[in-house]
Amino acid sequence: MSAPKPIAAGNWKMNGLKASAVEARSLVEKVSQQGSGDAEVLICPPFTLLGLFADIFGGTGVTLGAQDCHANASGAHTGDISAEMIKDTGADYVIVGHSERRADHGESDAVVKAKAEAAYRAGLKAIICVGETEGERDSDKTIDVVCGQLDGSIPDDATAETTVIAYEPVWAIGTGKTPTADDVKEVHAAIRDNLVKRFGAAGEGMRLLYGGSVKPSNAEELMSVANVNGALVGGASLKADDFDGIINAYR
Ligand code: 13P
């Protein structure tokens, strides 16, 4: 099977106002002028900017995603946003199970799985996040924790087309700390093994992103690790110049 097409994904988290359209337009310009190598470029802004960014990205080389969805299609869930609503904006992806959702909103693997199923139902691709805390790594539980999250969070009908996995060690998010390339290699190999055992060829084709303090200065090293098929970038995705420096790893 040919190697999965990598993704350079930006997760803007709770950042960005209408004025941030300047960065979105600048990114489109850079990607249209310099291409993105063999990578797909994806930005996941807050819900409030999905419509605006859909207009900016439409027909360009940049795709759009959201950061979370509710499991239901509609109904009495004040303040929530469904996968169908996200699809309706023109987005193609939704992140589910980010560690900040798991921590801030108590989302269990079962909840994350229901959200991934909602994404498939709406015709969105799900980026399902997993990752260990610092304490879990220090007590050598990384592989067990990550594989447990994969088992509990990925729906049985996941395919290589509908599902992307993001490995984000919690202790590396927003801290400037990253695992060594060898550590990333070990965890990504274990993830690939888990996926292939459960999904066969589909597990070979699912893209595995690394996330946690990815910057222009470390992107090339991290993206060249075996079984790393892209990056999920927080802080360094907010400025087009920085994110473009990460896309450079694929040019
Ligand atoms: P940082 O790149 O800011 O560490 O965030 C990573 C992340 O959580 C992306 O989802």
Side-chain angles (χ1 to χ4, degrees), residues 11 13 95 98 100 168 172-175 211-214 232-236:
N11 171 11
K13 308 191 179 184
I95 298 168
H98 191 282
E100 288 150 16
E168 299 203 309
I173 295 176
T175 59
S213 296
V214 178
L232 183 55
V233 184

Side-chain angles (χ1 to χ4, degrees), residues 135-228:
E136 288 162 345
R137 173 159 287 265
D138 289 347
S139 46
D140 285 331
K141 290 193 194 127
T142 298
I143 303 293
D144 283 351
V145 167
V146 166
C147 287
Q149 290 172 330
L150 295 171
D151 294 344
S153 307
I154 307 177
D156 288 334
D157 58 346
T159 68
E161 287 69 40
T162 60
T163 307
V164 176
I165 305 299
Y167 167 58
E168 299 203 309
V170 177
W171 53 272
I173 295 176
T175 59
K177 293 193 268 185
T178 57
T180 64
D182 277 348
D183 289 338
V184 174
K185 186 175 167 191
E186 186 194 358
V187 180
H188 277 241
I191 293 172
R192 182 68 73 201
D193 196 48
N194 175 290
L195 297 175
V196 171
K197 280 199 179 109
R198 182 165 165 204
F199 298 104
E204 282 297 349
M206 285 178 198
R207 285 154 312 166
L208 311 187
L209 312 185
Y210 167 79
S213 296
V214 178
K215 302 185 282 270
S217 58
N218 62 19
E220 199 161 328
E221 186 189 8
L222 289 165
M223 296 308 102
S224 64
V225 172
N227 285 303
V228 173

